[in-house]
């Protein structure tokens, strides 16, 4: 299993399908989902994707092995996120569409939950080079959207994560970092 | 300079911004443009991107050093492509918006033009591993959309290209292949 957690700081809960960037940059999350789940003509079956929305205290989980109606484009992905949000998040996880789940959560609870099952890594441009570092099986990667993690979030990530990993000599978009991470794991057969 | 050429077989000329996948999979081209041009909070200034539309005999060229109004999301990128197509392609290259150019072309003429200035490589899942192969400076990479190149197109690519390069042990989306290609070149400082 490979897990990706994207923290979407700008999202406030409203999605206008005709203006995804104006909808708290939900386009960024949609591209991260594309990067995490899609291959050519098929879906990776071993991915768990979390979008965490600090403004809402909500996380959406996608289980790629169960997902249906997910397409590679941003708009239809945003529609599935909007559909999940319409269910209303509670303390109990709810299924909004096959493979899409929504739940209230603090950031700390999310990382606690994920790191209890997976080895958590922080994707960060100042980390160790992904090509050089040992990565355990069943890794989970946490990354931020176009804003950096807050100090408080970073303190939580540092507490639960094993290492910082960098994928490039440059600062990249989160979706691109996910693609490169998958590529390294694919090459290692992890 | 780095050049990417994406052959968009399914596109027939009409773009409905509310249904990009239904618009001849123009969403695929938009994601390739995102992959080729964007980094975190900035644009790569050394990229030339070509979208080639066989059904139209038209190519759109994007010069990343001159581009304006380009954002990372699919919809606004598709709007710039639609705007270029509205100009109507002729034998003379026309500017449709800063950094966006449109022109009639055969596939062969496009590859002839590009390979006269750059070293052309064919991104293909059966190629040599990008991590192992020597890549000349100023490389150009040609790749297909969700359909393979036709036999005729492949014959032309083989004539003008130096080698086949593979980026992954798996078959990936074109946009993901572009991200991995950039990453390898970034690491080599090419």
């Amino acid at each position: 299993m490979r897990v990706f957690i994207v923290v979407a700081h700008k999202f406030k809960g409203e999605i206008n399908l005709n203006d995804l960037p104006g909808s708290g940059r939900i386009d960024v999350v949609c591209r991260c989902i594309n990067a995490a789940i899609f291959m050519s003509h098929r879906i990776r079956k071993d991915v768990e994707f979390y979008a965490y929305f600090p403004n809402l205290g909500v996380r959406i989980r996608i289980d790629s092995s169960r997902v249906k109606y997910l397409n590679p484009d941003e708009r239809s992905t945003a529609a599935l996120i909007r559909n999940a949000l319409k269910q209303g998040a509670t303390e109990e996880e709810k299924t909004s569409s096959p493979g899409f789940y929504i739940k209230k959560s603090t950031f700390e609870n999310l990382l606690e939950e994920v790191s209890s099952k997976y080895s958590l890594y922080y994707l960060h441009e100042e980390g160790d080079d992904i090509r050089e570092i040992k990565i355990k099986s069943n890794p989970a990667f946490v990354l931020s959207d176009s804003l950096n993690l807050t100090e408080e979030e970073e303190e939580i990530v540092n507490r639960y994560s094993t290492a910082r990993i960098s994928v490039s000599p440059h600062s990249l978009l989160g979706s691109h970092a996910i693609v490169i991470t998958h590529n390294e794991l694919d090459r290692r057969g992890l």
Side-chain angles (χ1 to χ4, degrees), chain A:
Chain A
M1 185 66 82
R2 299 177 191 172
V3 181
F4 294 93
I5 303 167
V6 173
V7 185
H9 291 97
K10 291 184 177 168
F11 185 65
K12 293 188 174 148
E14 293 296 318
I15 296 182
N16 172 356
L17 293 181
N18 293 336
D19 183 11
L20 300 182
S23 303
R25 293 308 307 276
I26 200 71
D27 62 313
V28 171
V29 176
C30 294
R31 283 195 297 281
C32 287
I33 293 171
N34 170 291
I37 293 186
F38 283 94
M39 303 179 81
S40 182
H41 300 293
R42 69 186 181 96
I43 273 182
R44 290 182 184 268
K45 289 294 180 193
D46 60 345
V47 171
E48 202 162 70
F49 183 95
Y50 292 87
Y52 186 71
F53 304 116
N55 288 327
L56 311 178
V58 164
R59 57 101 159 143
I60 287 175
R61 179 169 72 90
I62 306 174
D63 175 347
S64 73
S65 70
R66 293 172 185 273
V67 89
K68 280 186 188 164
Y69 320 125
L70 182 67
N71 288 302
D73 68 299
E74 293 168 10
R75 185 187 174 98
S76 66
T77 303
L80 290 176
I81 295 172
R82 191 176 65 164
N83 179 54
L85 292 164
K86 273 189 189 157
Q87 308 292 312
T90 64
E91 304 294 333
E92 285 291 299
E93 189 176 76
K94 287 190 234 175
T95 308
S96 59
S97 60
F100 268 70
Y101 311 92
I102 186 163
K103 188 179 176 231
K104 274 195 182 172
S105 177
T106 64
F107 186 53
E108 172 141 21
N109 284 348
L110 170 59
L111 292 202
E112 198 179 6
E113 178 190 342
V114 169
S115 66
S116 71
K117 292 182 282 182
Y118 307 102
S119 300
L120 189 69
Y121 297 93
Y122 182 12
L123 284 183
H124 189 284
E125 56 199 83
E126 285 163 18
D128 295 323
D129 186 352
I130 193 166
R131 291 201 187 175
E132 308 295 334
I133 196 169
K134 182 168 162 31
I135 300 172
K136 294 183 187 162
S137 57
N138 296 315
F141 302 91
V142 57
L143 65 157
S144 197
D145 59 355
S146 57
L147 297 177
N148 288 334
L149 291 185
T150 64
E151 242 177 71
E152 196 188 336
E153 287 163 350
E154 198 154 66
E155 188 273 317
I156 296 171
V157 170
N158 289 340
R159 199 137 30 88
Y160 289 98
S161 65
T162 309
R164 286 187 183 204
I165 295 183
S166 156
V167 299
S168 166
H170 302 307
S171 180
L172 300 185
L173 294 179
S175 51
H176 298 184
I178 291 172
V179 168
I180 296 166
T181 301
H182 265 319
N183 186 243
E184 183 62 28
L185 299 177
D186 288 344
R187 288 169 172 274
R188 294 190 195 182
L190 264 179

